[in-house]
Amino acid sequence: GAVVSQHPSWVICKSGTSVKIECRSLDFQATTMFWYRQFPKQSLMLMATSNEGSKATYEQGVEKDKFLINHASLTLSTLTVTSAHPEDSSFYICSARRAGALLLDNEQFFGPGTRLTVL
Amino acid sequence: GIQVEQSPPDLILQEGANSTLRCNFSDSVNNLQWFHQNPWGQLINLFYIPSGTKQNGRLSATTVATERYSLLYISSSQTTDSGVYFCAVSRLDTGRRALTFGSGTRLQVQP
């Protein structure tokens, strides 16, 4: 149980185009999903917290108009990188927390990631 | 925010050797998870261990919450154990459920 998928697993696009990445919880519902970014040989950095049915909360320094997040259902969150540029090339990973988990239970489950290359 | 430090940053082992990875955190936490990131980037959940000791096969973990550290033990290492090991924490009373990651320990197990 607790499987999270991401689609696509990799994408190459031209500078100026938009790319949408999907994150799905396959066997559980998730009221909260998180989006992280990882540059080569670095750790994961939180970009935003996505709550079902409400606006995402972005970390300082992350442009909300550039990285659009939608969490329209309890099993799906999407990240759209708008007008992508080469500096947006990175590994994007989502995670999810089970809906209905006990208050102190904050275990999170991660998707396999999406590798974005902007030419 | 919470600071997470992992040591050592890099580790090279011969197959069959044992190792201990350490995670120190700067404040009390409610959640601590250990992950293994494989060569394709997938984060594999190893342990959810805000306190206490757990074992799963050749791996075990101990978190001493009062002293703000956690240890991951790998016994009889195999080449498939290679990759990056991350410790990540969160503290719920900050209202923040997102995980803060350490910088990782890069493990290479040689045959």
Side-chain angles (χ1 to χ4, degrees):
Chain A
V3 178
V4 177
S5 71
Q6 279 185 243
H7 178 80
S9 54
W10 60 269
V11 58
I12 302 173
C13 68
K14 293 183 179 179
S15 186
T17 60
S18 294
V19 174
K20 179 185 282 189
I21 302 169
E22 293 186 348
C23 176
R24 292 182 186 273
S25 53
L26 298 185
D27 52 1
F28 66 101
Q29 293 184 327
T31 48
T32 306
M33 291 183 170
F34 306 90
W35 288 95
Y36 296 83
R37 181 166 52 179
Q38 185 181 32
F39 292 106
K41 298 196 183 301
Q42 294 187 20
S43 188
L44 281 75
M45 298 299 293
L46 179 70
M47 298 176 66
T49 299
S50 167
N51 293 298
E52 187 265 338
S54 64
K55 290 183 179 180
T57 303
Y58 291 82
E59 293 300 290
Q60 194 170 9
V62 177
E63 299 174 57
K64 62 181 181 181
D65 294 330
K66 181 170 187 60
F67 299 99
L68 301 179
I69 292 173
N70 184 281
H71 192 160
S73 79
L74 288 173
T75 59
L76 174 64
S77 176
T78 60
L79 167 67
T80 301
V81 183
T82 62
S83 187
H85 291 285
E87 58 265 30
D88 299 322
S89 298
S90 188
F91 191 55
Y92 292 86
I93 311 175
C94 71
S95 72
R97 176 179 177 268
R98 281 195 189 97
L102 297 177
L103 183 63
L104 293 182
D105 179 354
N106 198 38
E107 185 174 11
Q108 293 174 28
F109 304 91
F110 283 75
T114 296
R115 197 165 302 280
L116 170 64
T117 301
V118 184
L119 301 177
Chain B
I2 299 175
Q3 305 299 313
V4 183
E5 293 183 359
Q6 291 186 241
S7 61
D10 296 280
L11 185 58
I12 300 175
L13 299 174
Q14 289 299 122
E15 204 167 20
N18 303 328
S19 62
T20 301
L21 282 57
R22 187 176 179 102
C23 172
N24 292 333
F25 39 95
S26 61
D27 207 343
S28 58
V29 299
N30 304 106
N31 175 22
L32 189 146
Q33 291 183 249
W34 282 98
F35 299 93
H36 174 212
Q37 188 170 39
N38 66 22
W40 297 273
Q42 170 80 62
L43 281 173
I44 310 298
N45 283 42
L46 297 178
F47 294 102
Y48 172 64
I49 186 166
S51 64
T53 297
K54 291 185 177 180
Q55 180 160 5
N56 184 3
R58 295 182 296 105
L59 303 181
S60 63
T62 295
T63 296
V64 183
T66 54
E67 297 187 21
R68 300 180 187 171
Y69 73 89
S70 183
L71 302 174
L72 176 68
Y73 305 96
I74 305 174
S75 64
S76 304
S77 58
Q78 300 176 358
T79 56
T80 52
D81 295 331
S82 297
V84 183
Y85 289 80
F86 287 106
C87 164
V89 304
S90 66
R91 177 175 168 150
L92 298 180
D93 62 359
T94 63
R96 182 182 174 90
R97 290 191 175 276
L99 293 172
T100 298
F101 280 76
S103 54
T105 292
R106 189 172 300 273
L107 173 64
Q108 183 180 346
V109 181
Q110 297 178 337

